[in-house]
Every structure is written in C-alpha cells, then in structure tokens.
C-alpha cells in the first residue's frame, strides 16, 4: 500500500541541534530539519508529523501508537538511545509499521560505543552520515517500501509532472 503518512521521531538531545556540537551535527536547528522534512514529504505526497522527545517512554508510546494513528512508516533518530535502549528495540520489534533508523553523523566513523545499534536489527534499514539529508533518504526509503517498488521516489515524482 502506498505510504500516505509518516511519523518522524527525534530522540534525546536533538532539540539542541544547531547549537550542540555543530562540527558534528551541523548548524541547522531542529525546526530547520523539520521544515526540510515537511517540504520533502509534501513533494512526495506524504503527510508527515515530526516529534521530538528526550523521554524514552514518550518515544515508545509514539512508536506503539503509530499504526493506530494512521502512519504507514516511521523515520526514527533514536539519538543516544540507539546504543542501549532495549525498550525502544522491543517496541519497534512489536509493531507492524516499518521503521527506518537515521542519524545525522556517520555513527560508524565515530567513537567505538556509537558503532553499535540495538535498533538496527529490528529496523528496515539504517541511514547515517548525511546530515539532515539522512531524514529525507529515510522518508524516500519508506515511500519505496510502501510502493513495493525498486524505483526511486525522485523518478516517480518526475513521472507525475
């Protein structure tokens, strides 16, 4: 079934984007990133809802409620929870909505502890290292998953014009 709505979840400390370690995470604020996501989703014909929380339980509630709320996929940057939150891992494993894990920085090129994700084994895939573009690529991936096709979202957009 085509993706009609996607949930974008930002984990802990992503509310500090633009000021927190700009050499690693860039200068774009969370509002800037959310605007890029909303604009890209509109181009794809997808409704998107962007949410951020520093609280693990809130993220779990949103994951568990996503399908009931009509979301066909989730783009999720779990932040530091990536490396140790078995509760988030289990929540993702327990839902029927595909999740694409995203990260702004290349987690595999950073400190050793950042190279392991407990989320990745239960996510449909992981995209990291492309700054805010990681979120857009995650959304593109959900569109392709939803369409059940291997063609790129960009090619489909061009075909609609």
């Amino acid at each position: 079934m085509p993706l009609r709505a996607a949930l974008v979840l930002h984990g802990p400390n992503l509310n500090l984007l633009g000021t927190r370690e700009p050499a690693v995470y860039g200068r774009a604020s969370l509002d800037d990133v959310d605007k890029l996501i909303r604009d890209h989703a509109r181009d794809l014909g997808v409704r998107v809802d962007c949410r951020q929380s520093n609280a693990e339980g809130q993220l779990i509630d949103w994951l568990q409620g996503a399908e009931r709320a009509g979301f066909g996929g989730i783009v999720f940057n779990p932040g530091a929870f990536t490396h140790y939150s078995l509760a988030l891992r289990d929540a993702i494993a327990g839902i029927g909505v595909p999740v694409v894990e995203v990260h702004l920085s290349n987690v595999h090129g950073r400190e050793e502890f950042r190279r392991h994700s407990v989320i990745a084994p239960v996510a449909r895939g992981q995209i990291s290292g492309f700054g805010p573009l990681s979120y857009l690529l995650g959304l593109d991936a959900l569109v392709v998953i939803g369409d059940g096709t291997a063609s790129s979202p960009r090619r489909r957009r061009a075909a609609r014009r």
Side-chain angles (χ1 to χ4, degrees):
M1 177 161 45
L3 181 71
R4 298 192 193 296
L7 179 60
V8 176
L9 296 179
H10 308 285
N13 299 311
L14 289 159
N15 56 306
L16 299 177
L17 283 179
T19 59
R20 176 184 173 230
E21 298 180 77
V24 174
Y25 300 108
R27 298 211 178 274
S29 69
L30 185 60
D31 286 341
D32 296 336
V33 172
D34 284 346
K35 182 179 180 337
L36 284 172
I37 294 166
R38 284 191 302 274
D39 290 348
H40 188 65
R42 185 177 46 252
D43 289 345
L44 294 171
V46 174
R47 179 177 63 86
V48 71
D49 187 2
C50 300
R51 304 174 185 176
Q52 188 277 330
S53 181
N54 293 321
E56 185 179 40
Q58 179 63 76
L59 293 166
I60 291 168
D61 289 344
W62 287 335
L63 287 163
Q64 291 176 351
E67 189 170 20
R68 186 174 52 256
F71 295 108
I74 302 167
V75 174
F76 185 26
N77 183 342
F81 289 140
T82 300
H83 317 295
Y84 66 88
S85 178
L86 297 178
L88 284 170
R89 181 242 176 256
D90 290 349
I92 293 167
I95 63 176
V97 176
V99 175
V100 176
E101 178 186 349
V102 301
H103 298 281
L104 295 164
S105 67
N106 179 359
V107 294
H108 302 286
R110 297 188 58 202
E111 303 93 336
E112 185 63 37
F113 73 90
R114 293 187 195 275
R115 296 178 189 169
H116 177 72
S117 169
V118 299
I119 305 299
V122 294
R124 284 297 296 268
Q126 181 191 72
I127 299 168
S128 69
F130 296 99
L133 180 59
S134 293
Y135 286 96
L136 308 186
L137 293 169
L139 193 54
D140 286 348
L142 288 176
V143 167
V144 170
I145 291 166
D147 284 353
T149 67
S151 67
S152 75
R154 182 172 292 129
R155 192 171 309 143
R156 285 194 306 283
R157 267 197 318 270
R160 285 194 300 239
R161 290 183 187 156

